[in-house]
Amino acid sequence: MKLKRRWPARRVWAYIGVLAASLVVALGIGWRLFSDRIDNDAYDFFFKRNPPQSWTPESLVLAIDENTLRRMGGQRNYRTQLAEALERISAARPKVVAIDMILADASTEPEDARLERALRATPSLVIATELIDDKWEDPIPRFRPPDAVLAQVLPYKPDGVSRLIPLEQRIPRDRRWALALEAYRVYRGAPPPLESPDDVEVAGIRIPAPNKHGQDRPMLVRFLANGIPRIAIADLVSRPSLAAEVTGKAVFIGVTALSAARDRLVDPYGRDIPGVEIHAQAFETIRHGQFLVRADFALVMPICVLLVIAAGLSFGLLSGWPAYIAAALVLVAAHSIPLIFFHRGVVFSYTAAMSTAGLSLAGAAAFLYFSTRRELRKSESDKVRYQQAIHFVTHEMRTPLTAIQGSSELMGRYNLTDEKRKQMALMINSESKRLARMIQTFLDVERLSEGEMDMKRTPFAARDVLESCVERVRPLADRKQIRVFLDQPGDSSILGDRELLEYAFYNLLTNAVKYSPPATEVHIESSRDGDQLRLAVRDQGIGMDARELKNIFKKFYRTKKAEASGEVGTGIGLSIVEQIVVNHGGRMEVASAPGKGSVFTVILPVGVTASAH
Ligand code: ADP
């Protein structure tokens, strides 16, 4: 497998930054904005794909179904149907009877009297009440035997799918527990629930259902795949022996007829489910004591961080198809994590996992794409600059060569006076020396930048070098009427390679002259600062902005202003200057602003053996 070259630290940090941003976006925006819809869909999908473990229900629904309505007088006769059911099962002794019907108003006699009798004859009774306009719709007193418990029956129905029930509902000073919870408590003959901010404990079972942050203790219902057994009241009437089925059970009585149901809900499996069965299912969830809980941030966060790290490593360490395979594996992991947790009863946000993996992979891929593109562009422009430099050097060499060629031709072809001939020979000699020097400098510079050159270490006076540079640059400066001043030359000496340092200063001086308008001044200042010698070249030229300043020491870099000035240059001079100064244990400082001139300062350690103070 192909591993990548090591990255420079800056690139690594930028990459980590991009990944961290992906994580923040994924957790922050992704989780909040889209999560509910997608997470709910994923939740239902898990139910269908991996129904949670099933058990034999201890509950049963006595149903007012279509058949019961048809045979027993329709919706107007609910009370009679309920009374009939209670009468028929009382001998079979169910452990608890939970009625999911609102008995908040009076109807007609003798119907109500019969229901009242039936209710009073039923021990262990839990009756539904609903919160309407901030008031509990409690059963009227005659339908409320002294031992009966009242419980609320609010179902959540955000998208028509029932997943959660609130275990409590409250108006100031009047809180009701859920029908399923009270039914379980009565079923177990237990005292009222014990509460903490995180859970509710009833008959030794601790239900994770917080009421922090204004929550109403939502509990995820672990719907049984086979549903809750149902007996239609009409069947109970025609076959009284069915009543034996309720012995020792929790009986939930309610309307299941779709035509009469007030709201239609489906369970996560996608089946129509009447409210009364939701309560029976919730009862089963509590009774069995295996709860589905939502993964909290302390679990989601580290797992998402791991996903981001995996995504980052996929693209950071690998390239080509192995990177894509690794990325695909990260996505598969992100997809599987919620499923694996679901198996263990933990509901892990599918959106959090998928958006973290997706965004961090996308972020990593985009980062690589753009940084590779930038590198490519940079290496291309390096190449172009290098070609320009070669072009420049060959161009420079042509001038002395032409002179040599011309003179030698003249000498060969014409009869020249001795004096003329001598003059030409001298010129040939000096031009070829110039050529040799140029080649030497170019080679030196190349070797120096490769770090191969031996540096001499001899003591010499800084002042000598500066003076000789000023002399050399003078003709150039005169042409532009630029005056060059050597201010406070001082008498420090330097231990190092005189030729190289002279090359460096000469370069700084020619730049100062090149990049200044005519009739300005260039000053050279030298000063001592402890063990350091500061040699500054100050001009009143075109200057540079902060971005340009960052680049001028790079090989072949030239600012736009420099290009536009018409001054020839290669953009390698400063890179060599810096190299020379660094090789002498020193450093460069540059201060400049566009149009305000520049100061290039060479800071060198003062020669140990040659300090002239
Ligand atoms: P060049 O051959 O282009 O002069 P250098 O490496 O010496 O190459 O300088 C690199 C670039 O830095 C120049 O092209 C110019 O843009 C900028 N520069 C150097 N010295 C000065 C200066 N004194 N004032 C303004 N710009 C400068």
Side-chain angles (χ1 to χ4, degrees):
M1 207 156 14
K2 208 175 123 209
L3 285 183
K4 286 198 173 150
R5 271 186 302 126
R6 270 191 59 165
W7 286 5
R10 253 180 61 185
R11 194 162 176 214
V12 172
W13 283 115
Y15 190 57
I16 291 174
V18 167
L19 291 171
S22 314
L23 178 70
V24 171
V25 172
L27 287 181
I29 304 175
W31 204 8
R32 292 266 158 255
L33 280 189
F34 322 106
S35 59
D36 286 357
R37 275 281 290 280
I38 300 172
D39 282 347
N40 284 342
D41 287 350
Y43 183 80
D44 302 345
F45 172 78
F46 295 156
F47 254 99
K48 280 176 230 165
R49 269 267 312 262
N50 284 285
Q53 174 210 358
S54 229
W55 54 85
T56 317
E58 285 281 299
S59 55
L60 189 132
V61 171
L62 269 190
I64 299 180
D65 63 352
E66 303 285 359
N67 210 9
T68 307
L69 290 178
R70 216 175 306 123
R71 300 226 301 258
M72 297 176 67
Q75 293 186 35
R76 276 172 298 116
N77 273 347
Y78 276 156
R79 305 243 160 127
T80 313
Q81 291 152 16
L82 176 58
E84 181 91 44
L86 291 173
E87 288 160 12
R88 301 232 167 215
I89 60 169
S90 72
R93 304 208 156 274
K95 270 199 183 167
V96 57
V97 176
I99 299 173
D100 179 22
M101 293 164 86
I102 303 300
L103 305 172
D105 45 25
S107 176
T108 51
E109 294 300 337
E111 216 185 355
D112 280 1
R114 180 178 174 191
L115 180 57
E116 184 183 348
R117 269 196 310 278
L119 288 167
R120 285 182 194 274
T122 308
S124 311
L125 198 57
V126 183
I127 308 177
T129 167
E130 243 179 358
L131 195 57
I132 291 176
D133 294 337
D134 279 343
K135 244 190 85 216
W136 288 110
E137 294 277 291
D138 288 344
I140 51 175
R142 69 185 304 189
F143 294 152
R144 214 175 138 176
D147 293 339
V149 177
L150 300 184
Q152 52 86 8
V153 288
L154 178 95
Y156 285 126
K157 45 192 174 190
D159 52 358
V161 182
S162 168
R163 304 180 185 91
L164 291 159
I165 61 159
L167 285 188
E168 70 173 28
Q169 278 269 296
R170 57 169 80 228
I171 50 176
R173 286 194 308 281
D174 197 358
R175 184 262 313 272
R176 304 283 161 90
W177 294 108
L179 188 74
L181 183 73
E182 289 288 28
Y184 178 69
R185 179 171 76 79
V186 175
Y187 174 87
R188 294 288 304 268
L194 295 173
E195 316 175 45
S196 82
D198 288 312
D199 41 40
V200 178
E201 194 178 327
V202 63
I205 289 197
R206 185 183 293 250
I207 311 169
N211 72 346
K212 295 177 284 197
H213 321 299
Q215 287 166 292
D216 44 11
R217 300 198 182 272
M219 180 190 85
L220 286 160
V221 180
R222 203 181 246 258
F223 285 90
L224 294 175
N226 297 327
I228 303 290
R230 233 182 251 188
I231 298 176
I233 294 178
D235 292 343
L236 190 65
V237 172
S238 54
R239 282 170 51 206
S241 63
L242 278 176
E245 305 247 332
V246 307
T247 307
K249 296 261 172 73
V251 176
F252 289 80
I253 308 179
V255 181
T256 64
L258 282 181
S259 60
R262 279 182 300 174
D263 39 35
R264 290 180 67 155
L265 283 171
V266 291
D267 65 12
Y269 300 103
R271 302 173 304 199
D272 276 315
I273 188 165
V276 61
E277 179 169 342
I278 296 174
H279 302 304
Q281 289 271 20
F283 167 88
E284 289 296 337
T285 304
I286 298 173
R287 182 180 73 83
H288 204 257
Q290 270 186 358
F291 298 97
L292 288 166
V293 287
R294 290 197 185 282
D296 60 12
F297 199 68
L299 176 68
V300 174
M301 183 66 181
I303 288 191
C304 287
V305 168
L306 285 181
L307 281 172
V308 170
I309 292 175
L313 291 180
S314 312
F315 281 117
L317 292 181
L318 306 172
S319 57
W321 60 263
Y324 292 110
I325 291 180
L329 288 178
V330 173
L331 281 179
V332 170
H335 176 80
S336 321
I337 285 168
L339 201 65
I340 294 167
F341 274 108
F342 188 76
H343 264 298
R344 285 160 178 68
V346 177
V347 182
F348 192 100
S349 164
Y350 188 72
T351 328
M354 283 309 268
S355 61
T356 306
L359 279 176
S360 55
L361 284 171
F367 179 89
L368 286 185
Y369 172 76
F370 286 114
S371 66
T372 314
R373 214 173 69 164
R374 223 178 70 182
E375 248 176 29
L376 206 73
R377 236 191 281 150
K378 191 174 158 298
S379 79
E380 265 172 12
S381 64
D382 273 357
K383 213 169 92 190
V384 169
R385 282 199 222 123
Y386 191 75
Q387 279 167 351
Q388 282 173 348
I390 294 288
H391 186 81
F392 172 76
V393 168
T394 42
H395 179 85
E396 286 286 280
M397 284 182 175
R398 230 174 16 225
T399 323
L401 270 180
T402 318
I404 293 171
Q405 209 179 4
S407 319
S408 54
E409 250 180 50
L410 283 177
M411 283 167 78
R413 223 184 268 174
Y414 303 103
N415 252 341
L416 300 171
T417 59
D418 270 0
E419 198 193 345
K420 205 77 180 158
R421 191 184 298 271
K422 209 168 155 194
Q423 214 179 356
M424 287 199 167
L426 270 177
M427 177 161 74
I428 290 176
N429 186 275
S430 74
E431 286 301 303
S432 45
K433 272 192 190 144
R434 196 163 95 140
L435 206 55
R437 239 189 354 255
M438 252 165 73
I439 292 172
Q440 190 55 46
T441 316
F442 194 65
L443 287 181
D444 281 358
V445 152
E446 278 300 294
R447 289 218 308 269
L448 183 80
S449 59
E450 300 290 328
E452 282 176 14
M453 193 153 109
D454 286 338
M455 260 188 10
K456 294 186 207 96
R457 280 175 74 80
T458 44
F460 58 91
R463 174 192 208 131
D464 288 353
V465 175
L466 297 179
E467 273 168 0
S468 117
C469 288
V470 170
E471 282 323 303
R472 280 171 64 198
V473 86
R474 196 136 271 153
L476 204 63
D478 285 348
R479 242 180 282 154
K480 290 175 87 174
Q481 292 115 48
I482 293 177
R483 298 203 296 159
V484 184
F485 298 92
L486 184 54
D487 304 340
Q488 314 139 9
D491 51 4
S492 296
S493 61
I494 303 169
L495 188 64
D497 193 310
R498 180 185 165 133
E499 243 167 278
L500 287 178
L501 281 173
E502 186 166 333
Y503 175 90
F505 283 117
Y506 182 64
N507 223 295
L508 294 179
L509 271 179
T510 42
N511 276 350
V513 171
K514 260 160 60 178
Y515 303 120
S516 292
T520 50
E521 296 182 353
V522 172
H523 291 262
I524 303 160
E525 293 148 13
S526 97
S527 61
R528 276 282 295 268
D529 181 3
D531 284 348
Q532 289 181 334
L533 177 60
R534 298 174 65 93
L535 301 166
V537 178
R538 177 191 305 277
D539 65 41
Q540 299 167 338
I542 54 177
M544 287 157 283
D545 62 28
R547 195 185 54 81
E548 291 168 336
L549 273 181
K550 276 200 204 130
N551 289 309
I552 48 169
F553 289 105
K554 291 187 185 152
K555 259 192 190 173
F556 308 126
Y557 176 85
R558 302 197 75 207
T559 63
K560 293 234 163 56
K561 282 193 282 295
E563 300 267 10
S565 70
E567 293 286 356
V568 243
T570 53
I572 41 178
L574 281 182
S575 76
I576 294 156
V577 171
E578 189 182 38
Q579 186 82 41
I580 293 173
V581 173
V582 169
N583 282 4
H584 279 84
R587 65 191 161 86
M588 295 288 303
E589 255 178 32
V590 193
S592 184
K596 298 256 163 69
S598 318
V599 189
F600 281 78
T601 311
V602 174
I603 300 159
L604 290 170
V606 176
V608 190
T609 51
S611 179
H613 272 271

